[in-house]
Amino acid sequence: MKTPRNEPCPCGSGKKYKKCCLVQDESMVAEKRSEQAEAHRRWREDMEQVDLRIEELIDLSNKANDLIRAEQWSEAEVACRQLQEQFPDEIDGDHRFYEYYKARGDFREAKKHAQATLAMVESREGFDPQFPEEIKEDIAAFDERIQADHRTD
């Protein structure tokens, strides 16, 4: 509650508030506002950085996908590796490597990255419920191809 200017100061000095603690209280309020404004500015900058990182992740993931589809294998592998290095806590690196090795017919490596992708999908929320089922189907198909390849060796 705000003390009126001409009332006795709440500190108990016997002086009017305006002649005692008003200036100090106003400077504390101004300091608090300044601190809040600075905290808000830092938060805004942090959010802008997060937005830039998300945009960078999406761009690199899409680039890897486009390169895989275009069968530009060396460039696709580099993009997949960049995803894993720059965004180790995101699904995109393993997911793109899974697609990369699947497209190349390297089912052992595809299976390894599919399993890592599945582990991330199952440990987080927000994925399409069909997605883990599709990955499991691919893993089963990879197992069959790996066993078939093993029998022909």
Side-chain angles (χ1 to χ4, degrees):
M1 183 169 113
K2 187 175 177 184
T3 303
R5 295 173 52 84
N6 290 317
E7 292 294 315
C9 190
C11 76
S13 68
K15 297 179 183 178
K16 287 185 177 184
Y17 179 59
K18 69 181 178 184
K19 298 280 187 180
C20 191
C21 294
L22 174 66
V23 172
Q24 179 183 347
D25 290 351
E26 286 176 344
S27 66
M28 283 179 29
V29 167
E31 186 178 322
K32 284 252 189 239
R33 284 187 181 138
S34 176
E35 289 171 4
Q36 289 173 339
E38 178 60 21
H40 183 71
R41 184 194 62 74
R42 284 193 311 269
W43 175 83
R44 249 188 2 255
E45 286 177 357
D46 290 346
M47 291 301 99
E48 288 170 3
Q49 288 299 315
V50 167
D51 288 346
L52 288 173
R53 289 285 293 165
I54 291 170
E55 189 175 314
E56 185 181 347
L57 169 64
I58 291 168
D59 289 347
L60 186 53
S61 188
N62 287 340
K63 177 183 176 182
N65 189 42
D66 292 343
L67 291 166
I68 292 166
R69 290 174 189 256
E71 298 181 1
Q72 294 178 341
W73 303 125
S74 59
E75 295 93 338
E77 184 176 7
V78 168
C80 292
R81 204 161 306 290
Q82 286 176 322
L83 278 167
Q84 284 191 317
E85 291 168 2
Q86 293 176 20
F87 303 96
D89 297 330
E90 299 299 331
I91 192 173
D92 296 68
D94 276 310
H95 184 226
R96 293 301 182 214
F97 260 131
Y98 148 41
E99 293 173 330
Y100 169 81
Y101 286 115
K102 179 181 175 182
R104 302 265 341 238
D106 185 342
F107 301 114
R108 287 186 195 281
E109 285 298 312
K111 178 183 174 185
K112 181 173 77 172
H113 290 284
Q115 289 170 325
T117 300
L118 181 61
M120 277 195 174
V121 168
E122 290 179 335
S123 70
R124 298 178 182 183
E125 295 180 6
F127 289 100
D128 180 339
Q130 187 58 37
F131 189 41
E133 298 309 313
E134 292 169 2
I135 298 170
K136 289 174 186 175
E137 289 172 11
D138 271 350
I139 291 170
F142 298 154
D143 281 335
E144 288 176 17
R145 296 294 296 266
I146 292 166
Q147 289 176 3
D149 290 346
H150 183 69
R151 285 192 295 264
T152 61
D153 288 341

